[in-house]
């Protein structure tokens, strides 16, 4: 009974997210090359994003609304990329 009530997946996901955040902070301290630092940070970010999607946002559980869920994720990525590249376009590349 207690095994069904205790959210072990959520606790493990939370702990994994904490570990990945700690790794991302610790990577900035030692003298590593810029490329290696960015590679480690991007890998940690991708793993943490997938943990968030699968464990906390329950992406696997919604079989009937799977297409809507993926469309929403693609739309969110589109909005994020437009925001990032629009900011780069106006602030760094000097578009007037």
């Amino acid at each position: 009974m207690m095994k069904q009530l205790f959210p072990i997946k959520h606790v493990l996901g939370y702990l994994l997210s904490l570990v990945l955040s700690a790794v991302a902070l610790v990577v900035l301290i030692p003298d590593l090359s810029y490329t290696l630092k960015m590679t480690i940070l991007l890998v940690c970010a991708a793993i943490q994003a997938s943990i968030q999607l699968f464990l906390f946002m329950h992406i696997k559980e919604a079989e009937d609304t799977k297409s809507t869920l993926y469309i929403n994720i693609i739309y969110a990525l589109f909005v994020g990329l437009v925001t990032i590249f629009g900011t780069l376009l106006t602030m760094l590349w000097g578009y007037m």
Side-chain angles (χ1 to χ4, degrees), residues 12-32:
L12 287 176
Y14 177 69
L15 291 175
L16 236 115
S17 293
L18 285 176
V19 168
L20 287 169
S21 295
V23 167
L25 286 173
V26 170
V27 158
L28 298 175
I29 296 171
D31 284 335
L32 299 173

Side-chain angles (χ1 to χ4, degrees), residues 1-20:
M1 176 80 177
M2 189 64 173
K3 192 173 186 177
Q4 294 173 346
L5 295 176
F6 188 71
I8 190 71
K9 288 183 180 179
H10 289 87
V11 172
L12 287 176
Y14 177 69
L15 291 175
L16 236 115
S17 293
L18 285 176
V19 168
L20 287 169

Side-chain angles (χ1 to χ4, degrees), residues 2 20 30 37-38 51 55 88:
M2 189 64 173
L20 287 169
K37 284 182 182 181
M38 288 306 293
I51 287 172
L55 291 180
L88 287 173

Side-chain angles (χ1 to χ4, degrees), residues 78-95:
F78 172 74
V79 168
L81 290 174
V82 166
T83 303
I84 290 169
F85 286 112
T87 303
L88 287 173
L89 180 69
T90 57
M91 294 190 168
L92 292 180
W93 297 327
Y95 181 76

